[in-house]
Amino acid sequence: MDRTTSASMEMRSEGLGTTPSEHPAFAGRIELPYKLTTGRAASVFLAELASRRIVGSRCPSCARVLVPAQDFCAECGTAAEELVVVASAGSLSGFTETAAGVLGLIRLDGASTDLVHRILDAGLADLQVGQRVAARWAEEAQGSVLDIVGFAADDAPAASEEVRPLSDPSDPVIEQPYRLRLDYQHAYGPYYGRLFDEIATSRRIQGVRCPRCECVLVPPREYCDTCFVRTAEWVDVADTGVIKAFSIIHLEFVGQVREPPYIYAEIVLDGAATRLIHTVGGIEVEEAMERLHPGTAVRAVWKDGEPVGTLEDIVYFEPVFDD
Amino acid sequence: MRDVAIVGTGQTKHARRRTDVSQAGLVREAVDAALEDACLTFADIDSVVVASGPALFGAVNQPEKWLVDALGGHMKPVVRITSGGGTGLAGALAAMNQVSSGFVERVLVVAYDKLSEGALQYQISTLYDPFWGREFAVGIMGFAAAYWRARIDALGHTEEAAALVSVKNHRNAMRNPYAHVKKEVTVEDVLASRPLAWPIKLLDVPPISDGACAVILASEDAVPSITSTPAWIRGMAYYGEADNAANRFMLQSVPLQLAAQRVYKRAGIVNPRRQFDVAELQEPYTNFELSYYEGLGLCRSGEAADLIASGATEMEGDIPCNPSGGCMGANPIGATALIRLAEAALQVTDKAGERQVPGARTALVQAGGGWANLRGVAVVGADRN
Amino acid sequence: MFGRAINRVAVVASAQTKLRDAWSNRQHVDLISEAVVGALKGSGLRIEDVDFVIDCGSDILDGRSISNCGFLGAMGAHHKEESRVEEDGLWGALYGATKIGSGSAEVGLVLAYSKPSESDVSAFYATQCEPFYQRPVGFDHAAACGFQAQSYLASHSLSEEVFADVVAHDWALAAANSAVELETAPTAGDVRASSRVAAPLHELELSRPVDGAVAVVLASKRVAQRVCTDPVWITGIGTAMDQHSFAMRERDSLPACAAAAEAAYRRAGMDGPEGASLAELSASSAATQLMVLEALGLADPGGAARLYSEGSDVALNPSGGSLPADPIMATGLVRLSEAALQLSGRVGHGPEGASSAIVHGAGGVGMQNHCVFTLEV
């Protein structure tokens, strides 16, 4: 994550009518690895693509052949356990073109339902509902629906025997690796904008005071959570405070930014009534277990060089012992 | 307001990883079991409520739209509630309102998570504000450990007391056919187990699980034709608290107390320790159970360590807590709270098998999520209010 | 009166932020608070009177898991009963209505919000598709809209020209609605000239994602009659979901929308939409808007375009509807808010003397899920 700069200093923002480009955003990314379980029907469907066979499932209740194979018949809820092989050619029921290319809805011979897939080697002008198409296979199967590269126009007539029982099934593809990446441009808004601007320009941490309970809220926000009245006044808080609570992290996990062991801490800055989430450093873990307590005083250790305006400008908070 | 009862429950075979079913197949397994328990079919179900953890857990956004086929939900009301770790109970509450208002007669509630699909701690860390603390978050474990450490000083919730919770829940899970962690542990084992977020250690932590639970709710008008042994929901509530509110009290959960107050009032509970025969609590960390004893009024503030040490919350005690083993036996997060509700229903209908508390008629259920700021409570009974 | 609810439930107040392409100088919490404060202002109710909060937002759009958990303070939900319905806000209103209808609460705040400008709307929809068959081939919501449009035109032998007229009609109404930020409305010619993004649909024939938040206050009959001279009563609610696989659904009609409407009318004791003064609709494209009108019974199959060319007895989308302003998770709740404001005569638009309304919300890829409310004053 990185941050450019924020020009959003206004406290009251209604009706400003500004355009997006005037307000830099905080670029956030969530990127996660998965191993997704395909389930019975899909695990066989995906595996059979390597043998260039397209598998459907027959609903025992309504007798429809669902393609690609489904575990359950959506319309009646029945488990569709009988797996069958349908033709790899059929007719085009519909098509569209989006940023992803030309996509088609295809009714394979023997299937009772359409499937969605890519249409190859054709523009919209070349396509007609009802025309014959056939699967084009990837050179090397990966156990993915993209082992069918797509469907292309094909003159072959409909197969005489459209639906066959599935014989000698391959080993199922029981899981698929998956990576989800989501990018964000989080708006700072007037409150976080000013907070991080102040950190970036003067290493000053600011909160807002609630006029009713008189508590100072950091990070600043428009409404006091407890009183639900508008906060009124910007207030400087210190870069010193006390530990409200802490734990010592040994666990390692995907996405972690600090190397264990380290000390997770919730800190109440002097002058504030809310918690700041950070780490405590400058103390060995063994010593921390003995000497740190809720209430232990700490002070921010700022990173050398120009601050950029995030909590990472503080390396950690170090304990301040009386002795 | 119409009374609402649980008329069927079902759970999957929970496991660290289920490779034989997709997320859809997992929920179906629980639903089939619940329908069979209630002797109902999809045709009898008017509405479906799905509850699960954040979409990032399974890489499927609004997963109810995928699961609908497996839930027999075609052309029915289907909606999903996602309210943190306690979402199973939040889902049941939404369903209960659908029934008690007269909107529908029978609702299928299904809650699940298939946690083996992804990288759990980082997924949970995305609860945190991207500007303010996410980079330092350790799921919710760092947070939970930190306030346990604070309660050690303030309330005497020692590591030994928490270890007793682990020992009890692990032992109880041995008798629960749905639990997938079947391992008795000793206090010494717990204390010597590897620190993850000290003072939280490996054996203070539940497993990561794949699992689902389904519960069928019916109106007082529909109950007689379904079962002669309904479990009546005598009260249910789910409260929130602004996480970073000024001077937020962290040693006890205020929303838990608010939920308990509301539900106890409705169910006529004035002495929880005496009036409840059994409790199912969503720990998930051992120290949470200690805190819940106090927040739910099973003992006074600062007495939880004494309560667990006294044996009162053991199977043989006067207020057995988590005869199912709680989260220690299985923890498919989104399903966990609904599992607690289902287990409570089994207890008050004398269907809990080897983990049955003899003669139980009134059960307490607790659920929660977020940063200890989403908390739910329910009372389930063999009798109506 | 819906179902067997003893207590009637009313919409007693509502407010929304302005809907605009991007609120890039404000955070989710800022938009949420503005809507909540706006709804309570002048309602005769204070935040202390609110028994519970139901909120509808999306983790995937917000970039934050159970994002409601972080927004509770801004919602006014601190120490209140709260739940997140991760669906369009109209389902939040359904939850709120059942909670009040059950007698377990008197005043509920229902919230919905989205900031698609911070995120990727196509990813929001694409991640709703199961990951094995549909996602890898590039199928998403835009493709679904394209398939629906093609199928609708073919089934009814219509020309694609009908879509642009629908769009121009709604954008003109939105331009007259101060709640939607819009400088000029495109003409039908402009619509046809916009780029084709999901053939046969042009960019302007798909709904425009906007940022915004909306808050609706629901109350029991007892409270509504105390605080409100003109409560808007919820008379019926229905909802239904279609199957997941888009390719296996009907594409030239929306049977789940028809099922939702039928259930709402039945609960309201109505035979159909006859007598409704206005309809506020949520559609992802001009094509599905026509299909929604048909599913609601406002036109025969294939006949909805004539409501635009020949005129309609029922005022259609007086607010402009979802095509010019689609705040994703908030769209249906904006429709409810708009319809209630129009029925109570508190906004400048909407038909004179309106007494009843049909409100429609939708969710999912290719509008898999539908919810219908009927209202009356």
Side-chain angles (χ1 to χ4, degrees):
Chain A
M1 293 193 224
D2 66 350
R3 174 174 184 271
T4 45
T5 171
S6 171
S8 50
M9 297 288 285
E10 59 280 336
M11 176 76 184
R12 298 284 176 254
S13 52
E14 288 107 297
L16 289 176
T18 44
T19 56
S21 58
E22 292 172 36
H23 299 278
F26 182 90
R29 172 172 291 176
I30 293 173
E31 188 163 17
L32 288 162
Y34 295 89
K35 274 186 308 183
L36 299 176
T37 318
T38 52
R40 184 177 173 276
S43 69
V44 176
F45 175 90
L46 296 169
E48 289 301 320
L49 296 177
S51 314
R52 302 196 168 178
R53 291 198 292 190
I54 297 179
V55 173
S57 55
R58 197 194 310 265
C59 172
S61 173
C62 63
R64 294 186 312 148
V65 175
L66 312 167
V67 182
Q70 307 284 318
D71 280 328
F72 308 102
C73 172
E75 289 187 11
C76 58
T78 312
E81 291 178 357
E82 184 196 349
L83 297 177
V84 295
V85 178
V86 298
S88 57
S91 60
L92 190 62
S93 311
F95 52 89
T96 186
E97 185 173 24
T98 68
V102 180
L103 293 172
L105 296 165
I106 298 129
R107 178 71 57 100
L108 293 174
D109 299 335
S112 311
T113 61
D114 291 343
L115 63 80
V116 63
H117 215 298
R118 296 173 178 169
I119 300 297
L120 306 174
D121 309 327
L124 293 176
D126 309 321
L127 297 172
Q128 275 194 323
V129 169
Q131 78 173 69
R132 299 287 299 168
V133 290
R136 294 285 178 268
W137 299 93
E139 292 292 321
E140 202 170 329
Q142 309 280 337
S144 151
V145 72
L146 293 178
D147 291 347
I148 302 171
V149 182
F151 286 81
D154 195 284
D155 295 333
S160 55
E161 191 189 351
E162 292 171 342
V163 180
R164 292 171 286 135
L166 174 65
S167 57
D168 306 321
S170 319
D171 288 344
V173 176
I174 59 172
E175 59 190 26
Q176 271 194 338
Y178 185 76
R179 202 159 186 93
L180 182 65
R181 196 180 99 182
L182 299 164
D183 285 304
Y184 297 93
Q185 293 291 321
H186 296 294
Y188 279 91
Y191 294 86
Y192 278 32
R194 176 157 167 179
L195 169 75
F196 290 111
D197 280 347
E198 289 295 326
I199 289 175
T201 55
S202 61
R203 293 185 172 144
R204 193 161 64 142
I205 302 170
Q206 289 203 309
V208 289
R209 192 190 307 278
C210 168
R212 184 177 294 174
C213 67
E214 302 195 338
C215 290
V216 173
L217 311 170
V218 184
R221 62 206 77 170
E222 189 173 8
Y223 281 84
C224 172
D225 313 80
T226 39
C227 308
F228 207 65
V229 299
R230 220 167 193 178
T231 53
E233 177 195 354
W234 284 91
V235 182
D236 285 356
V237 299
D239 66 355
T240 59
V242 296
I243 294 175
K244 176 109 170 165
F246 75 98
S247 57
I248 298 172
I249 306 306
H250 300 273
L251 180 72
E252 292 179 25
F253 59 95
V254 172
Q256 199 166 26
V257 297
R258 289 283 200 277
E259 192 179 334
Y262 60 94
I263 303 166
Y264 170 94
E266 302 209 352
I267 290 158
V268 178
L269 296 175
D270 293 329
T274 52
R275 295 131 52 220
L276 178 152
I277 293 148
H278 216 290
T279 55
V280 168
I283 181 171
E284 290 301 316
V285 161
E286 298 301 319
E287 189 187 355
M289 289 172 70
E290 295 298 320
R291 297 193 70 191
L292 295 187
H293 291 276
T296 300
V298 290
R299 67 173 163 241
V301 175
W302 293 87
K303 200 177 272 183
D304 291 338
E306 286 290 301
V308 295
T310 75
L311 284 185
E312 295 269 21
D313 288 331
I314 295 169
V315 186
Y316 52 71
F317 285 80
E318 66 178 6
V320 183
F321 295 113
D322 290 338
D323 42 22
Chain B
M1 186 187 294
R2 296 195 300 175
D3 283 346
V4 179
I6 296 167
V7 296
T9 69
Q11 296 184 46
T12 53
K13 175 179 161 19
H14 312 311
R16 175 65 187 86
R17 177 155 176 79
R18 290 282 303 268
T19 53
D20 58 329
V21 283
S22 65
Q23 295 174 47
L26 188 71
V27 295
R28 175 60 173 251
E29 188 176 311
V31 168
D32 280 343
L35 287 169
E36 188 184 341
D37 185 42
C39 297
L40 297 175
T41 69
F42 281 135
D44 302 306
I45 299 299
D46 303 323
S47 174
V48 181
V49 176
V50 178
S52 66
L56 291 180
F57 281 4
V60 182
N61 187 21
Q62 303 187 0
E64 72 283 3
K65 298 204 168 75
W66 174 26
L67 306 180
V68 59
D69 302 351
L71 298 174
H74 190 228
M75 297 298 158
K76 290 178 186 173
V78 179
V79 75
R80 172 164 156 273
I81 307 293
T82 175
S83 287
T87 195
L89 198 73
L93 181 57
M96 182 176 158
N97 280 295
Q98 287 190 8
V99 175
S100 59
S101 66
F103 184 66
V104 291
E105 295 298 314
R106 290 161 300 269
V107 185
L108 171 66
V109 189
V110 57
Y112 82 102
D113 263 318
K114 198 164 184 319
L115 300 178
S116 72
E117 307 277 279
L120 185 63
Q121 290 305 334
Y122 179 62
Q123 290 165 350
I124 299 179
S125 296
T126 62
L127 258 71
Y128 283 73
D129 187 336
F131 292 91
W132 194 254
R134 184 179 294 178
E135 59 268 58
F136 309 116
V138 184
I140 225 67
M141 194 192 292
F143 164 92
Y147 288 98
W148 176 21
R149 175 65 192 80
R151 283 191 286 268
I152 290 176
D153 282 8
L155 296 166
H157 294 183
T158 61
E159 291 183 76
E160 291 76 11
L164 287 170
V165 173
S166 180
V167 171
K168 168 179 70 72
N169 290 352
H170 275 101
R171 185 190 304 134
N172 291 352
M174 299 293 290
R175 286 189 294 264
N176 179 358
Y178 298 110
H180 69 93
V181 174
K182 302 265 194 183
K183 183 177 71 169
E184 290 219 49
V185 299
T186 65
V187 169
E188 294 70 31
D189 293 337
V190 180
L191 294 176
S193 64
R194 182 163 59 89
L196 300 179
W198 181 84
I200 288 180
K201 298 168 292 297
L202 182 64
L203 289 174
D204 290 305
V205 175
I208 294 171
S209 311
D210 290 355
C213 177
V215 165
I216 298 168
L217 303 185
S219 73
E220 60 183 63
D221 302 316
V223 163
S225 65
I226 303 171
T227 180
S228 56
T229 55
W232 295 98
I233 299 176
R234 297 179 51 187
M236 190 185 289
Y238 199 84
Y239 274 75
E241 176 173 67
D243 161 56
N244 207 3
N247 300 319
R248 182 176 162 211
F249 187 59
M250 303 302 292
L251 295 177
Q252 182 50 259
S253 169
V254 175
L256 176 71
Q257 293 174 311
L258 290 169
Q261 253 170 34
R262 179 181 173 91
V263 170
Y264 289 180
K265 186 175 174 202
R266 169 143 174 75
I269 303 293
V270 292
N271 185 335
R273 170 91 180 258
R274 188 172 305 160
Q275 287 175 273
F276 289 120
D277 301 313
V278 58
E280 278 286 337
L281 312 175
Q282 186 183 355
E283 317 105 271
Y285 303 115
T286 50
N287 66 89
F288 277 14
E289 183 166 323
L290 297 174
S291 186
Y292 296 155
Y293 291 167
E294 297 174 4
L296 292 165
L298 301 180
C299 65
R300 283 185 293 215
S301 181
E303 293 183 353
D306 295 336
L307 186 69
I308 183 78
S310 75
T313 60
E314 302 279 348
M315 281 304 284
E316 304 74 25
D318 62 88
I319 177 73
C321 289
N322 281 330
S324 66
C327 301
M328 279 302 165
N331 190 36
I333 296 177
T336 301
L338 195 66
I339 293 172
R340 305 278 78 73
L341 184 70
E343 287 285 337
L346 294 176
Q347 289 287 348
V348 301
T349 52
D350 199 27
K351 294 181 189 168
E354 279 189 65
R355 59 197 187 286
Q356 179 68 45
V357 173
R361 295 193 71 77
T362 310
L364 169 64
V365 177
Q366 176 277 340
W371 298 276
N373 62 332
L374 302 173
R375 287 287 182 262
V377 174
V379 175
V380 178
D383 309 298
R384 292 163 75 162
N385 283 334
Chain C
M1 187 180 300
F2 72 90
R4 303 181 29 192
I6 300 155
N7 309 18
R8 296 185 77 187
V9 181
V11 178
V12 296
S14 65
Q16 66 180 70
T17 64
K18 189 167 277 212
L19 304 177
R20 53 187 286 185
D21 285 324
W23 274 110
S24 49
N25 57 340
R26 305 184 74 194
Q27 294 195 314
H28 294 87
V29 287
D30 302 322
L31 300 182
I32 289 166
S33 298
E34 182 189 328
V36 172
V37 170
L40 291 173
K41 192 174 176 183
S43 72
L45 295 166
R46 301 163 305 155
I47 194 73
E48 293 82 356
D49 298 316
V50 172
D51 296 320
F52 67 92
V53 177
I54 305 295
D55 56 271
C56 301
S58 161
D59 289 358
I60 296 287
L61 278 179
D62 296 350
R64 188 168 181 181
S65 286
I66 48 169
S67 54
N68 56 312
C69 190
F71 300 160
L72 294 171
M75 294 173 183
H78 184 62
H79 290 171
K80 295 187 190 303
E81 281 206 271
E82 182 270 347
S83 278
R84 153 71 74 84
V85 177
E86 200 163 19
E87 179 56 289
D88 176 275
L90 201 55
W91 279 266
L94 161 61
Y95 188 154
T98 61
K99 193 162 175 73
I100 293 168
S102 76
S104 64
E106 298 235 55
V107 180
L109 181 61
V110 182
L111 285 167
Y113 64 88
S114 285
K115 286 198 74 189
S117 69
E118 295 194 5
S119 177
D120 178 351
V121 178
S122 61
F124 163 81
Y125 283 113
T127 53
Q128 291 180 32
C129 297
E130 52 70 34
F132 310 116
Y133 295 153
Q134 298 176 78
R135 235 186 272 183
V137 303
F139 174 73
D140 68 356
H141 187 54
C145 291
F147 286 132
Q148 284 168 321
Q150 184 195 42
S151 173
Y152 181 80
L153 294 177
S155 292
H156 303 297
S157 304
L158 293 168
S159 118
E160 64 178 73
E161 307 287 301
V162 298
F163 297 147
D165 295 335
V166 174
V167 175
H169 172 271
D170 280 10
W171 281 67
L173 290 168
N177 178 357
S178 61
V180 180
E181 188 175 280
L182 202 59
E183 280 173 14
T184 53
T187 64
D190 296 335
V191 174
R192 288 180 199 114
S194 65
S195 59
R196 247 188 234 277
V197 293
L201 293 172
H202 299 84
E203 184 176 6
L204 286 171
E205 288 161 350
L206 294 174
S207 65
R208 173 180 73 136
V210 292
D211 288 359
V214 57
V216 170
V217 182
L218 301 178
S220 66
K221 183 175 183 180
R222 191 184 72 83
V223 171
Q225 289 178 332
R226 181 167 60 78
V227 300
C228 220
T229 53
D230 52 359
V232 174
W233 301 104
I234 297 171
T235 55
I237 305 178
T239 168
M241 189 183 277
D242 208 332
Q243 60 187 304
H244 179 63
S245 171
F246 175 83
M248 297 183 185
R249 287 183 224 155
E250 297 290 322
R251 292 188 291 274
D252 59 357
S253 65
L254 295 168
C257 182
E262 188 195 329
Y265 299 153
R266 177 169 39 79
R267 290 192 173 98
M270 297 158 64
D271 293 328
E274 291 73 23
S277 317
L278 65 99
E280 283 282 345
L281 318 171
S282 304
S284 300
S285 72
T288 45
Q289 181 151 311
L290 296 174
M291 289 153 63
V292 167
L293 288 165
E294 292 163 16
L296 293 175
L298 291 166
D300 292 330
R306 284 199 297 277
L307 297 174
Y308 294 88
S309 58
E310 297 170 11
S312 165
D313 294 340
V314 179
L316 305 180
N317 276 336
S319 71
S322 60
L323 295 178
D326 181 2
I328 319 289
M329 302 299 286
T331 307
L333 196 63
V334 168
R335 304 276 76 74
L336 180 66
S337 168
E338 275 287 353
L341 291 171
Q342 291 166 36
L343 289 177
S344 59
R346 280 177 282 173
V347 284
H349 49 272
E352 289 283 324
S355 60
S356 65
I358 299 167
V359 176
H360 165 259
V365 172
M367 298 170 66
Q368 188 185 348
N369 204 9
H370 295 265
C371 189
V372 175
F373 274 50
T374 55
L375 307 176
E376 69 180 26
V377 284

